[in-house]
Amino acid sequence: MPSYTVTVATGSQWFAGTDDYIYLSLVGSAGCSEKHLLDKPFYNDFERGAVDSYDVTVDEELGDIQLIKIEKRKYWFHDDWYLKYITVKTPCGDYIEFPCYRWISGEGEIVLRDGQAKLACDDQIHVLKQHRRKELETRQKQYRWMEWNPGFPLSIDAKCHKDLPRDIQFDSEKGVDFVLNYSKAMENLFINRFMHMFQSSWSDFADFEKIFVRISNTISERVMNHWQEDLMFGYQFLNGCNPVMIQRCLKLPDNLPVTTEMVECSLERQLTLEQEIEQGNIFIVDFKLLDGIDANKTDPCTLQFLAAPICLLYKNLANKIVPIAIQLNQVPGEENPIFLPSDAKYDWLLAKIWVRSSDFHVHQTITHLLRTHLVSEVFGIAMYRQLPAVHPIFKLLVAHVRFTIAINTKAREQLICEYGLFDKANATGGGGHVQMVQRAMQDLTYTSLCFPEAIKARGMDNAEDIPYYFYRDDGLLVWEAIKTFVAEVVDIYYEGDQVVEEDQELQDFVKDVYMYGMRGRKASGFPKSIKTKEKLCEYLTVVIFTASAQHAAVNFGQYDWCSWIPNAPPTMRAPPPTAKGVVTIEQIVETLPDRGRSCWHLGAVWALSQFQDNELFLGMYPEEHFVEKPVKEAMARFRKNLDSIVSVIAERNKNKKLPYYYLSPDRIPNSVAI
């Protein structure tokens, strides 16, 4: 009688093991086996992290094994089980791998295919075609689109984290409770003692040090010591938390009436302002998105204010970027003066603080939330809805959407919802952040997610001309590494452009992203279909880069750059100044966030900047969805390429007072999960 050796691997995360009864059936080309109870006498099967083997004897030859069925039945009570993979050794000595990496909940049954990645056109056997179709039908019922707010990208249809399909929920050891995380952060930072003085002002800048955590040689301490300097202010537009706003100024906007006479003392080349613009030495950051956004009114005891500044910057003879003019609102006029470095010290300082606060708002809500979190969720939902687990693109992308839908669901539940944590400290809370996303959706284009194109569109691509833009330099290295890896994988499964065009599952995935994620907006430039291997490689690079590198670049520096409150105020308690020569240091301190909001802010940026336990970084694929040797070799080359980038960045950072490491691959998590 033919005998098969079945090896079963249970996950190592918390509560992955089960005491339930596990049955297995083998489905072959010549027949199907009976259900076999996988059980060893006097042995605790399917413990967390265990790899157990069983002999399964069948009555007659089954032919080529095509599927295996796993059934779980209750022992005492329902006990979820996380199955990593099963391998089957056939009577003739062949090994077949069946990747799973899924939870089996309740009294469930799952049917697994072997790990060979297959396009739909590769499946000729009816039972395999049927399995493929049924899997997608089931997933489309589980993963439904929902509009959380009008104008937003659509998100998952789930009110809270526990409503999500079990497979995309956080492992229980992952901290997903924002309230708890922020509270823990404040406890760890020893700032809880200030919370009873919630609305009281600090006495001066030095007073902010009471909540500032000193960690020797950190960027945050350097920010604290140099935040008032123009060089530090300019540097942050290149390599701070929000390095995506600065662009070369080709022409002064009509609503910024700056003249050469105003900025003459800042220009070092004895040229007019117009000549400096022509030579490419003038840059601009425009926060027009914030114009007319409602400021937070959730606390009747504290008025909060927003501005929509325009900041003009100059590349000096040392090739450093410095500010030369700031207008705090969009409409020029007597009550909206243009502030200059030649103005009184506190006039200029307060103008820069307003710009830093505006930058914080755009960073949090648009650069971070919309353009990494929400976009990556769209890719994730579309992937689960349209690509079966056997599809090579599913296998490629699944690691890069890990926990993304879960973190976003938790954010909608606790953070950005009405009366959520976002309302506590931020001037854009109470609905302003929703208005911002609705506006920014008009500028969310496919091209703007293509890293090299986005850099070029802002005129920031010339490395000789703008030598200290490390976000650009490191980002291009990582983008190319991802694109090279993706191209190798695509080459393995797609012989030519026609195979891409005829892959209906792939086309449905791309269409789902366009129709639901981007709301069918033609102006978004997102493709409705993909017809060439080259376009497919670019598209997949956008998905992976956005979820990994782009998120890392704009998330993990938040404590470094935002923990010194005057450098990134989450709210302002007085309106922007309407005249020069009247600002005092006392007014500035009264305008900055009070003690309570400062503490909430500090807890938030600390919690958001921490890597998760057991973080998986770019190039790590511990879940072996791919079993083919050529893909594993491509993964090894990808890791080697990433390691060389790590070395390049480490060498560049040697002896730097302000090292830039957010895009070092060993610090880039695989997915948006915090």
Side-chain angles (χ1 to χ4, degrees), residues 56-71:
V56 173
T57 303
V58 298
D59 295 333
E60 53 192 34
E61 290 288 347
L62 300 175
D64 297 331
I65 301 299
Q66 296 166 339
L67 301 169
I68 55 174
K69 292 181 181 178
I70 305 292
E71 201 175 321

Side-chain angles (χ1 to χ4, degrees), residues 142-211:
Q142 289 180 310
Y143 296 83
R144 299 174 307 278
W145 295 104
M146 175 192 76
E147 182 180 72
W148 185 66
N149 255 307
F152 272 53
L154 293 195
S155 49
I156 194 79
D157 185 5
K159 285 191 173 66
C160 56
H161 180 261
K162 65 179 173 52
D163 292 343
L164 294 172
R166 184 71 178 90
D167 287 326
I168 58 167
Q169 290 182 25
F170 277 109
D171 293 342
S172 54
E173 73 249 39
K174 289 192 74 100
V176 295
D177 192 309
F178 284 108
V179 178
L180 195 63
N181 286 355
Y182 287 16
S183 302
K184 271 187 194 167
M186 287 190 278
E187 202 176 297
N188 292 340
L189 298 167
F190 304 106
I191 54 178
N192 273 338
R193 64 190 186 281
F194 294 101
M195 290 303 285
H196 69 282
M197 302 181 278
F198 198 88
Q199 285 158 334
S200 63
S201 297
W202 303 92
S203 54
D204 53 31
F205 292 144
D207 204 18
F208 281 99
E209 290 190 51
K210 288 179 180 173
I211 63 165

Side-chain angles (χ1 to χ4, degrees), residues 294-553:
D294 294 332
N296 194 338
K297 295 182 178 65
T298 57
D299 179 359
C301 301
T302 304
L303 289 175
Q304 299 180 60
F305 297 89
L306 293 167
I310 309 173
C311 179
L312 212 58
L313 300 124
Y314 177 62
K315 184 183 73 172
N316 64 20
L317 288 171
N319 283 327
K320 301 292 173 69
I321 302 288
V322 291
I324 59 170
I326 294 170
Q327 181 178 284
L328 292 180
N329 278 303
Q330 292 288 307
V331 181
E334 276 185 30
E335 295 196 343
N336 186 21
I338 294 171
F339 292 94
L340 307 165
S342 52
D343 290 341
K345 176 184 175 181
Y346 292 125
D347 281 0
W348 182 234
L349 181 59
L350 182 56
K352 288 191 293 180
I353 291 172
W354 269 105
V355 172
R356 293 293 315 130
S357 183
S358 302
D359 192 62
F360 173 79
H361 296 310
V362 172
H363 162 258
Q364 282 289 12
T365 304
I366 307 308
T367 311
H368 182 209
L369 173 65
L370 172 61
R371 297 179 69 90
T372 64
H373 277 257
L374 300 185
V375 167
S376 291
E377 180 177 5
V378 164
F379 291 133
I381 299 169
M383 182 201 78
Y384 280 112
R385 284 175 54 82
Q386 304 299 351
L387 299 176
V390 71
H391 198 291
I393 304 304
F394 178 93
K395 290 172 181 277
L396 177 65
L397 295 184
V398 66
H400 300 289
V401 299
R402 178 176 176 258
F403 301 136
T404 300
I405 301 171
I407 196 74
N408 287 359
T409 303
K410 205 70 187 175
R412 285 187 288 270
E413 193 184 338
Q414 292 184 326
L415 192 61
I416 58 174
C417 55
E418 197 174 358
Y419 310 116
L421 292 177
F422 203 83
D423 290 355
K424 286 188 182 293
N426 292 293
T428 51
H433 60 302
V434 173
Q435 296 170 357
M436 286 174 71
V437 171
Q438 289 165 336
R439 276 190 194 178
M441 274 295 283
Q442 306 311 308
D443 301 319
L444 177 57
T445 63
Y446 175 74
T447 309
S448 71
L449 297 178
C450 295
F451 189 81
E453 297 296 320
I455 296 287
K456 204 171 180 180
R458 292 189 286 111
M460 302 294 291
D461 51 318
N462 191 325
E464 285 182 24
D465 202 23
I466 312 163
Y468 301 109
Y469 197 14
F470 307 128
Y471 163 74
R472 171 202 60 208
D473 300 340
D474 299 355
L476 287 170
L477 291 176
V478 175
W479 172 273
E480 285 306 318
I482 293 171
K483 196 171 182 184
T484 301
F485 167 56
V486 164
E488 287 188 39
V489 176
V490 166
D491 276 342
I492 293 167
Y493 298 101
Y494 294 91
E495 282 182 11
D497 294 344
Q498 190 178 348
V499 186
V500 171
E501 195 172 353
E502 291 174 358
D503 182 354
Q504 193 54 50
E505 290 166 342
L506 170 66
Q507 302 304 336
D508 289 343
F509 162 64
V510 172
K511 190 177 178 184
D512 241 31
V513 170
Y514 172 74
M515 287 302 298
Y516 297 101
M518 297 307 123
R519 313 300 297 267
R521 279 179 47 248
K522 199 173 180 182
S524 72
F526 270 76
K528 295 180 196 174
S529 61
I530 289 180
K531 297 184 178 176
T532 66
K533 284 171 65 174
E534 186 184 357
K535 267 293 171 194
L536 176 58
C537 291
E538 181 188 75
Y539 193 91
L540 297 174
T541 304
V542 165
V543 177
I544 296 172
F545 186 89
T546 301
S548 57
Q550 186 60 23
H551 179 255

Side-chain angles (χ1 to χ4, degrees), residues 241-290:
C241 260
N242 195 24
V244 301
M245 295 290 290
I246 188 169
Q247 54 187 335
R248 201 184 289 276
C249 182
L250 304 175
K251 178 184 175 292
L252 277 182
D254 293 339
N255 62 337
L256 183 66
V258 179
T259 63
T260 298
E261 292 69 38
M262 286 180 181
V263 295
E264 210 163 15
C265 61
S266 298
L267 307 180
E268 297 179 355
R269 295 177 177 86
Q270 276 71 56
L271 300 172
T272 65
L273 181 58
E274 287 69 26
Q275 288 169 329
E276 294 279 17
I277 289 172
E278 277 174 31
Q279 291 205 2
N281 298 323
I282 303 295
F283 299 83
I284 192 166
V285 180
D286 191 345
F287 295 96
K288 59 188 172 192
L289 180 85
L290 287 164

Side-chain angles (χ1 to χ4, degrees), residues 205 223 225-230 232 345-346 349 352:
F205 292 144
V223 170
N225 292 327
H226 299 277
W227 71 281
Q228 298 188 42
E229 298 167 12
D230 287 356
M232 177 63 87
K345 176 184 175 181
Y346 292 125
L349 181 59
K352 288 191 293 180

